[in-house]
Amino acid sequence: MVDPVPQNAAEDDPDEPRSEGRRGSHRRGKPRKKRSFWKELPILVAIAVVLTILIQAFLAKVFMIPSGSMEATLHGCPGCTGDRILVDRVVYDFTDPSPGDVVVFRGPPAWTKNEIAPQESSNIIVRGLRGLGSLVGFAPPDERDFVKRVIAVGGQTVQCCDPQNRVIVDGKALDEPYIHWENPDHAVQDSFAPVKVPQGALWVMGDNRNNSDDSRYQGDGGASGAVPVDDVIGKARIIVFPPSRWGGVSDHDPQTAAQPVALGAPAWQDGLPLGLGVAAAVPTLFVGRRMKAGLRKARR
């Protein structure tokens, strides 16, 4: 006699997939709700800010140019929009700054001893917004940073000027097409005595040569005006704001096409040969006459 087949036999059949019914029921269920854009937006903004801060702390940072000492390479004059520049913070981990590089650096003690510290707001919200703006490059930084062009490096001797009003490094007149003269009718830069740049330091000057408080004057001038390489933050690469000035920052090496120059002596030394000539003329004339008179006597 044949036993009756139970109703759940199909479910117990090992040849049939057990999960088919479950998968089917899952497909027929309600789909998971997507998070709305407005809920995700704060998360995206927070991630973007964190990434921006990390990038600017370790790779590249945006700086604002607050002064006109680098005109016209970088704009920062009163009444115009200060340039924002992207500064490469990595390049000098592998190499040293070179002549012609436009660098951003922390002001060494010789540069900042007479500076007035920036006034902090008593409002904690204002301070926080200012700090955040500094991190992302939309506000001046709290620290006293500078931007200048490298003219000479450690071990080189720099001075000014040759008869053509050019800066001289190691006896060669520099090629500086980036110099800006606010008054083209007075394209003359201040002269200074020879300075040997200390090892591990840089001699920096502004492109706006007659409106730049740089190595010539900082620390009362001389070697103390040089900037330690350790204080360099990075190399200016790109102007990122305003859009009308997008482009790279010139790093023309002024020493590549430098020309040997014969330095002129001080005025009193220039007149020395003439004075010696005049002084020697009198005894020479006297001796010549005596010799002539002696020859006449000998003939007689």
Side-chain angles (χ1 to χ4, degrees), residues 75-133:
H75 281 340
C77 59
C80 66
T81 302
D83 285 351
R84 267 75 167 180
I85 54 173
L86 186 67
V87 175
D88 182 348
R89 305 190 71 152
V90 179
V91 60
Y92 295 137
D93 290 338
F94 305 97
T95 184
D96 290 329
S98 303
D101 289 358
V102 176
V103 296
V104 174
F105 55 93
R106 290 177 292 273
W111 288 57
T112 59
K113 63 181 181 180
N114 296 324
E115 292 283 332
I116 300 175
Q119 298 296 317
E120 286 289 345
S121 172
S122 58
N123 190 316
I124 188 171
I125 297 177
V126 172
R127 289 205 307 269
L129 291 175
R130 179 183 172 86
L132 181 61

Side-chain angles (χ1 to χ4, degrees), residues 18-19 59 89 117 130-131 169 187 217 244 257 264 269 271 288 290 300:
R18 297 190 174 194
S19 59
L59 298 178
R89 305 190 71 152
R130 179 183 172 86
V169 173
Y217 313 109
S244 60
Q269 293 181 8
R290 293 299 299 267
R300 291 174 184 170

Side-chain angles (χ1 to χ4, degrees), residues 81-215:
T81 302
D83 285 351
R84 267 75 167 180
I85 54 173
L86 186 67
V87 175
D88 182 348
R89 305 190 71 152
V90 179
V91 60
Y92 295 137
D93 290 338
F94 305 97
T95 184
D96 290 329
S98 303
D101 289 358
V102 176
V103 296
V104 174
F105 55 93
R106 290 177 292 273
W111 288 57
T112 59
K113 63 181 181 180
N114 296 324
E115 292 283 332
I116 300 175
Q119 298 296 317
E120 286 289 345
S121 172
S122 58
N123 190 316
I124 188 171
I125 297 177
V126 172
R127 289 205 307 269
L129 291 175
R130 179 183 172 86
L132 181 61
S134 173
L135 285 173
V136 297
F138 289 102
D142 292 334
E143 63 270 19
R144 283 164 284 182
D145 299 332
F146 298 83
V147 56
K148 305 289 180 188
R149 190 181 296 272
V150 178
I151 300 299
V153 298
Q156 293 187 314
T157 299
V158 57
Q159 66 184 102
C160 188
C161 299
D162 75 342
Q164 281 74 47
N165 190 42
R166 297 174 295 184
V167 174
I168 303 163
V169 173
D170 290 343
K172 294 182 178 181
L174 301 184
D175 171 42
E176 298 189 276
Y178 44 73
I179 290 182
H180 173 72
W181 305 107
E182 289 188 339
N183 182 3
D185 296 331
H186 185 68
V188 180
Q189 52 187 324
D190 293 343
S191 61
F192 58 90
V195 178
K196 186 167 183 177
V197 183
Q199 291 294 341
L202 306 169
W203 186 268
V204 296
M205 298 171 71
D207 290 355
N208 191 355
R209 198 51 55 86
N210 287 340
N211 187 24
S212 175
D213 200 8
D214 47 42
S215 291

Side-chain angles (χ1 to χ4, degrees), residues 85-88 91 102 235-239 247-251:
I85 54 173
L86 186 67
V87 175
D88 182 348
V91 60
V102 176
K235 178 179 179 179
R237 292 284 193 185
I238 303 171
I239 299 173
V249 178
S250 165
D251 59 356

